[in-house]
Amino acid sequence: MPGLTIQNLRFSHPGSSFALQVKDLRVGAGSAFALLGPSGAGKTTLLRLMAGLLKPEIGDVRLDKTSLLSLSEAERRAFRLTQIGMVFQDFALLDYLTVEENILLPHCFHALGKNRAALADHARTLADQLGIERHWQQLAGRLSQGEKQRVAIIRALAHRPRFLFADEPTASLDATRRGQVMELLSRYTREQQATFILVTHDTDLIPLFPDHARVEDFTA
Amino acid sequence: MITAPLHLAWRYVSRHRLQTLLLAGALALVMALPLCLRVLVGAAESAMRQRASDTPQLLGSRGSALDLMLTALYFKRQPLPTVTMAHLHELRDTQLAEAIPLDARFHAQQTPIIGTEIEYFSFRHLRLAQGKMLTRLGDCVIGARVAAQRGLAQGGALFSSQEQVFDMAGVYPLKMRITGVLAANGSADDDAIFVDLKTTWLIEGLAHGHDDVSTRPDAVLKATPDNLIANSSVRMFSEVTDANLGSFHFHGDDSAHQLSAIIVRPKDAKSEALLAGRYQKSSLPVQLIQPIQEYDLLMSTLFQMEKLAYSILAVTLLAAATVSALVFTLSFRIRRREFSTLADIGISPRDLILTKAFEAALVGALSLLFAGLITALVQWNAAQWIRQMLS
C-alpha cells in the first residue's frame, strides 16, 4: 500500500486566514487520486505540500517510507528529482531552451546516477506518443499552450518517478489530446505502480477517478 | 557541476543577443576609454620624443616656443612669426654650429611644402625609396605617405596652393616636378613635400621666369637703363623646365627672405652653451630653444591632463558598473518567476546563483573582448592619428 500518506497536516500562508488541514489521507502505490475544487481553493498549495515544495506547520507527508520533513533541503531536492514527477500548472518551461533541453534540464544539474542518454530516449518515446517529437529541437517559447503542456508532462514522466503530481495537466488540451494524456498517465500509474495525484477543476474527469476528494474538505 | 549553470547562462545570453550586445557594448566603451587614452598618449610620446631629442636646438622668432617646435619638427600648420635668411647667415658666421633652414609656410592642398637644404635629408636619415634627390629649381621630393595617399610617384607633378584665396593678382601656383619618393620613416617627414629653399621663394613670388623681353620689343612698354616694363603679353612661367630654367631669376637681397625656423646642430657642448647664451637676451627678435625641454614641458602638462582624464574616467567606470549592477538586479527581479520555476524543478539555490553569476560574467567577458578590440583598433592606428593630429 505505502504510496502517499498524510497525517495531521496543517498549513497556512503567513498573514492569511486561509489554512489547509489534512487529518488523514492515504493513496496507495498504483492508485490515482483526484483533488477537485474551484480556482483559488488551495488545490495547488496542497499539491506542493505533497511534493515537498512547501513545508507544513505541523504534520508530515510520507512518500512510501520517506518522511519529507526528515529530509534536509538538498535531500528533499534529490528525492524530488529522482522519485517525483511534477506537472506544473504554468508548465514551468524556459522559453529560451529547446523542448529537449527543457525536459533534460533538471537532470543536467544533478549527477544522480541517471543515465542521461536512456532518459533522453525514454523522453523521446513519450514525445512521439504525445505528438511532440517533431518539436524536439524547437524553442519552448514557440510552442502553443497545448504543446507546452505536453512537454511538461513528458518532463514529469521522463525519469520514471514513483510519484506523479499533476496540476491541471489537461487544462490547455482539446478533448482528443486530453483523452490521450489521461490514458498515458493512467497507464503509467498502473504499469509503474506509481502514485498519481491529480489536481483539477474539470468535473468531467471525475468518472476517471473513483478515488477523489474536494479541497474544501481539507480547509480549516 | 558548473557546466549546467554555464550552459543555462549561455543559452539565456545567446537567446537575448540584442540586449546582451547593447549592455556589453556600453560597458566596453567605458572600459576602452582609459585604455585608448593610454595608447594614444603612449603613441604621442614615442612619436614626439625621438624627433625632439634628435633635434639639438631650434632658432625661430620669439614667441611661443611650443609653436616653434610643432612647426619645425612636426610641420604643424599654424601662423608663426618668421626669421630671415640674415639670421641664418649670422648663425653660420659664428661657426659654432651647422644650421639647416626650414620654410614651412607653403602647402600643396593640405600637405606642407618644406623648403630646406640638402643637409636636412642626411640630418633626418631620410633615404629615397625611388627616384633621385632635388636637382634643380622647381623639383620636389615627397614623403612616403603623400605618395601612397595621392598615388604619386617619380615623374609626376604637384601644384603648390595659393595661400591667400582672395589675392587674385598674387603668385600663381607652381607646378613642381617630383624627382623622388622618400622611404617611410614613421615621422612627419612621411607627410611632407620637400623642395629646395629657393623653390619656396619661387612659390612666394620672390623669383620668377618669363619670356625673354629683349626678343619681344613689341611687348616693352617702357625701358630705362635699369629696368624694362613689359605688357601682359609676356608669358610668366608657372613651371620650371629645362627650356625655361635660364629665365628664372631672383629679385632683391636674399637676407630679407623669410624662414619658419632654423635647425641648429652645435659642434660640441661648449658651442651649444655659447649659442644658448648668445640668444638668451629677451631683447632679441629671435629665440633659441631646445626641443626636448619643450617636449618635456608639453608632456608634463599632458600627464596632468591624463591624470585628470583618468580620474573622470574612473568615476565614469564606477557609474557604468553601478548601472550594470542595477540592470542585472532589475533583470533578475523581472525574471523572478523564471528562477522560482528553476527552483521548483529542482535547481539548487547555489546553482541559481552560479547561473546568474555566469550570465553577468559572460556579459563582462564580451565587454572585455569588445574593449580589447577597440583598444587594438586604436593601437593599430594610433601612430597615424597622432601624426595627423600633429600635422
Side-chain angles (χ1 to χ4, degrees), chain B residues 27-354:
Chain B
L27 277 173
L29 280 177
V30 179
M31 282 193 274
L33 275 173
L35 296 173
C36 292
L37 182 65
R38 181 85 285 276
V39 166
L40 286 171
V41 170
E45 272 178 26
S46 61
M48 293 175 75
R49 183 167 186 91
Q50 189 60 46
R51 206 163 166 87
S53 66
D54 284 348
T55 312
Q57 291 177 319
L58 272 178
L59 185 79
S61 179
R62 194 164 286 281
S64 165
L66 181 63
D67 283 354
L68 175 61
M69 182 184 76
L70 291 175
T71 301
L73 267 57
Y74 311 108
F75 312 139
K76 189 167 172 60
R77 188 172 191 169
Q78 55 195 319
L80 187 73
T82 53
V83 291
T84 62
M85 283 296 286
H87 292 114
L88 179 70
H89 297 322
E90 186 184 297
L91 191 62
R92 282 177 172 162
D93 288 345
T94 63
Q95 297 190 340
L96 293 172
E98 184 189 344
I100 303 170
L102 288 174
D103 189 351
R105 292 174 298 154
F106 304 104
H107 296 81
Q109 294 178 323
Q110 294 303 312
T111 309
I113 297 171
I114 307 301
T116 186
E117 291 177 351
I118 207 76
E119 287 76 17
Y120 180 82
F121 298 97
S122 55
F123 168 64
R124 290 286 184 218
H125 307 292
L126 299 174
R127 56 180 187 80
L128 285 165
Q130 60 168 268
K132 54 188 179 180
M133 276 293 173
L134 312 167
T135 53
R136 63 157 162 74
L137 195 67
D139 283 353
C140 69
V141 166
I142 58 175
R145 204 184 320 279
V146 178
Q149 286 177 346
R150 295 203 191 179
L152 296 169
Q154 179 203 8
L158 268 169
F159 281 92
S160 65
S161 300
Q162 275 186 295
E163 296 300 315
Q164 291 182 341
V165 178
F166 301 108
D167 183 12
M168 299 304 285
V171 184
Y172 292 108
L174 177 70
K175 186 177 181 183
M176 297 175 288
R177 182 179 70 166
I178 300 170
T179 60
V181 177
L182 294 171
N185 77 340
S187 74
D189 297 322
D190 291 346
D191 299 300
I193 298 162
F194 293 95
V195 297
D196 183 76
L197 198 56
K198 287 191 171 108
T199 303
T200 57
W201 297 341
L202 192 57
I203 294 169
E204 193 179 3
L206 300 175
H208 59 224
H210 49 72
D211 288 337
D212 186 359
V213 183
S214 63
T215 62
R216 294 276 313 276
D218 57 307
V220 176
L221 293 174
K222 186 179 176 185
T224 65
D226 300 327
N227 209 4
L228 277 177
I229 298 172
N231 64 23
S232 59
S233 67
V234 175
R235 279 186 307 149
M236 299 290 286
F237 301 131
S238 63
E239 179 185 7
V240 182
T241 63
D242 290 336
N244 69 16
L245 177 62
S247 77
F248 280 87
H249 51 277
F250 293 84
H251 293 277
D253 176 12
D254 84 339
S255 60
H257 294 352
Q258 297 174 74
L259 297 170
S260 302
I262 300 167
I263 294 172
V264 183
R265 298 177 74 187
K267 287 179 175 166
D268 48 36
K270 185 182 171 190
S271 304
E272 187 173 346
L274 285 171
L275 282 169
R278 178 186 282 254
Y279 289 100
Q280 208 172 24
K281 288 179 195 158
S282 59
S283 57
L284 287 173
V286 292
Q287 62 177 337
L288 188 72
I289 64 163
Q290 284 186 299
I292 193 66
Q293 285 181 355
E294 297 307 319
Y295 166 83
D296 287 339
L297 197 65
L298 176 66
M299 287 320 291
S300 69
T301 311
L302 275 180
F303 184 64
Q304 295 291 329
M305 287 171 65
E306 190 187 1
K307 277 207 308 193
L308 178 68
Y310 283 145
S311 308
I312 295 167
L313 288 172
V315 174
T316 313
L317 193 60
L318 191 67
T322 310
V323 170
S324 302
L326 185 68
V327 167
F328 277 112
T329 307
L330 288 176
S331 164
F332 293 149
R333 183 168 290 187
I334 289 167
R335 292 164 60 202
R336 202 169 31 195
R337 193 178 163 86
E338 176 188 325
F339 290 115
S340 120
T341 293
L342 286 167
D344 282 352
I345 62 173
I347 314 300
S348 69
R350 174 187 164 274
D351 283 338
L352 286 180
I353 291 169
L354 266 179

